[in-house]
Amino acid sequence: MESFITLAVFDYTHQIEIIKHRLDIEGFQYFFANEIMSSFAPMYSTALGGIKLKVHPKDFQNIKSILQEMKYDNNLRIV
């Protein structure tokens, strides 16, 4: 997991739920750094640098495309 790259940063845990579901369906390797601490104490999210989506380098471009699709080409927009 040391070689994983930060692709996106989110402020709150509710912002990552749909993304997690989509990435699980596609079978990508990823994890969200600071997710658990942010769920216990949401006000610490900023202090921790946000909830970081860490992805495997080989999946970087594919996941980036999915995030762009979810942000712009879909009725389920990322807040």
Side-chain angles (χ1 to χ4, degrees), residues 20-68:
K20 285 170 58 175
H21 181 67
R22 176 75 186 270
L23 296 180
D24 287 342
I25 289 171
E26 300 285 340
F28 290 115
Q29 295 181 23
Y30 73 95
F31 71 96
F32 285 95
N34 303 327
E35 176 185 8
I36 294 173
M37 186 59 167
S38 295
S39 67
F40 284 118
M43 61 282 210
Y44 289 147
S45 180
T46 303
L48 296 170
I51 303 168
K52 297 174 181 148
L53 172 57
K54 301 278 199 168
V55 301
H56 192 277
K58 70 177 178 67
D59 297 327
F60 185 88
Q61 288 300 326
N62 292 332
I63 295 174
K64 185 176 179 181
S65 296
I66 288 172
L67 291 178
Q68 289 295 326

